Amino acid sequence: MESAQELLDAGFSKTKTAEMIGVHHSKICRLVDIGELEIYLPFDDGDDKHQSKDLYEWLWEEDELEALLWKGYDEGKVDINAVLGERYYSVGRYVQNNYKNFHLFLAQKGFLPLEDNFFKTCSTCGESKQLKNFSKRKGEFVFGLEPQCNRCVEGRVRNNLINNESYKDRCKVVGKKWRDRNKDKLYVYGHIRRARESNLLNDLTTEQLEITKLSFSGCALTGDKTYHMDHVIPLAIGHGGTTYGNMIPLRSDLNISKHCNNIFEWFEANRQRFELSQERFDTLIDWLASANAMTVKEYREYVYWCHANPCDVNDKGVI
Ligand SMILES: [Zn+2]
């Protein structure tokens, strides 16, 4: 116990004293609180005053900081990590507690115009950088500054997101939920995007898509409730587009089988294989013709003409 009191008398702080005699600093604090240990006031007016403030420590930090300021003034560039060495953390904590951060400390001392003279070493890349490269932080941050430079923080945030499996999974789940809720929009958006890429018309609205679906109540050829929206005149031949009258619901296997083929030829070649009904097909062609303001004959000729005259999908002015 005597040695602790000796250290305190010699001007060591409670924390430093605890460290030097190898006990937890709360033990020293408690002993000071109950009066077992005493902290001597250095500037007394003759009386032996005792008080429980760490006045020596206060002087110590201020002295070190003052030296740092003048070093910055004289040398033009000082790295606060390099200058303070292992005192970096205690001085840093002092600044954080008393001035919030190093910038405010400089401001209070009238050294703000020399701000660019002060450098700090990034804990990640190890580069010595001007203080403006470190974000101001509240709470338990020495000197009130982020230990990593802004560039390293950005990299860390990015890598965390990239490597964070739960973040990726969450994106997938949210993405899937959104897609499930907005399937109609996605049909329209996806097709509009593809049509736009090939300079084709792409004016199908969600309302028109709704009308199209209601016209068939399921796949246009089978009535199946699961279907894809198919371009009757395929985008790949440079005609048609994502427009009302060129989009029909088709069961996915039919959609895949039809692909870039002429719908009339494809139907003739595949009706038996897929056991398709001629009546449904005729109804579909009636609907397509009227949606395109044509007679069935005109529509048929139009489809054949499109397939006979494919154009580069990147050409402008397609029909
Ligand atoms: Zn860095």
Side-chain angles (χ1 to χ4, degrees):
M1 191 55 63
E2 264 172 48
S3 63
Q5 187 59 62
E6 275 168 23
L7 289 169
L8 289 171
D9 289 345
F12 290 104
S13 69
K14 288 182 284 188
T15 311
K16 192 74 189 167
T17 301
E19 203 180 297
M20 289 167 89
I21 62 169
V23 299
H24 195 265
H25 81 273
S26 64
K27 184 170 181 186
I28 301 291
C29 292
R30 195 170 49 78
L31 292 172
V32 170
D33 288 343
I34 61 172
E36 290 281 321
L37 286 173
E38 291 179 317
I39 291 173
Y40 190 63
L41 182 70
F43 300 127
D44 58 279
D45 51 12
D47 297 331
D48 265 3
K49 279 188 188 163
H50 290 84
Q51 67 153 24
S52 59
K53 292 265 183 239
D54 296 0
L55 283 186
Y56 270 110
E57 187 161 61
W58 177 80
L59 282 170
W60 196 354
E61 320 295 14
E62 284 290 336
D63 279 353
E64 282 180 290
L65 283 165
E66 184 127 327
L68 188 69
L69 289 179
W70 287 108
K71 203 171 168 59
Y73 176 81
D74 291 336
E75 297 177 11
K77 176 190 166 173
V78 281
D79 185 294
I80 56 179
N81 295 74
V83 171
L84 295 172
E86 54 186 30
R87 295 280 303 143
Y88 175 82
Y89 290 96
S90 38
V91 175
R93 241 171 242 119
Y94 173 82
V95 168
Q96 164 219 327
N97 289 332
N98 294 279
Y99 298 93
K100 283 202 175 75
N101 59 54
F102 197 78
H103 299 272
L104 290 172
F105 163 73
L106 289 177
Q108 202 157 319
K109 299 291 177 185
F111 275 71
L112 206 53
L114 295 181
E115 194 171 28
D116 286 349
N117 292 6
F118 296 92
F119 287 62
K120 192 167 104 68
T121 304
C122 168
S123 64
T124 300
C125 66
E127 280 178 44
S128 181
K129 295 186 169 185
Q130 283 176 327
L131 294 183
K132 62 186 169 202
N133 294 296
F134 299 85
S135 302
K136 296 176 187 124
R137 296 291 302 263
K138 285 180 189 164
E140 295 296 304
F141 288 88
V142 284
F143 288 103
L145 298 170
E146 177 75 46
Q148 294 180 305
C149 72
N150 291 337
R151 208 181 59 199
C152 288
V153 170
E154 270 171 39
R156 183 189 67 197
V157 170
R158 206 170 40 241
N159 287 342
N160 281 351
L161 288 183
I162 292 168
N163 298 326
N164 184 326
E165 288 301 322
S166 72
Y167 174 81
K168 278 193 280 189
D169 289 347
R170 203 162 65 237
C171 287
K172 277 187 208 153
V173 171
V174 170
K176 181 162 187 339
K177 276 186 189 161
W178 189 87
R179 287 194 296 277
D180 287 348
R181 269 201 313 273
N182 296 281
K183 272 184 178 155
D184 292 355
K185 277 186 198 152
L186 280 171
Y187 277 130
V188 176
Y189 293 160
H191 290 137
I192 284 176
R193 181 176 51 73
R194 279 166 53 204
R196 185 175 293 137
E197 281 165 4
S198 56
N199 291 318
L200 293 170
L201 284 176
N202 51 53
D203 56 3
L204 182 73
T205 64
T206 38
E207 289 76 20
Q208 288 174 329
L209 177 67
E210 218 34 61
I211 293 168
T212 305
K213 286 183 181 176
L214 287 171
S215 307
F216 297 101
S217 64
C219 167
L221 292 177
T222 63
D224 276 87
K225 296 302 170 199
T226 48
Y227 52 79
H228 291 166
M229 292 307 287
D230 178 70
H231 288 86
V232 179
I233 298 168
L235 295 181
I237 62 166
H239 297 285
T242 303
T243 60
Y244 181 67
N246 198 42
M247 303 297 296
I248 55 165
L250 270 193
R251 205 172 68 196
S252 61
D253 57 334
L254 303 180
N255 174 239
I256 289 161
S257 160
K258 178 183 158 288
H259 190 50
C260 287
N261 297 301
N262 176 324
I263 191 168
F264 293 97
E265 291 176 351
W266 168 81
F267 181 76
E268 284 309 317
N270 292 279
R271 53 184 292 185
Q272 287 187 324
R273 179 181 155 209
F274 290 109
E275 298 176 341
L276 300 173
S277 130
Q278 183 68 48
E279 201 188 327
R280 275 186 183 268
F281 183 73
D282 291 342
T283 307
L284 168 62
I285 299 303
D286 273 345
W287 184 87
L288 286 167
S290 80
N292 284 280
M294 295 176 191
T295 65
V296 168
K297 187 170 174 284
E298 282 169 341
Y299 181 72
R300 188 184 169 92
E301 283 170 2
Y302 169 62
V303 171
Y304 272 84
W305 181 88
C306 290
H307 281 274
N309 298 279
C311 64
D312 187 332
V313 290
N314 295 313
D315 279 354
K316 298 272 179 191
V318 288
I319 297 164

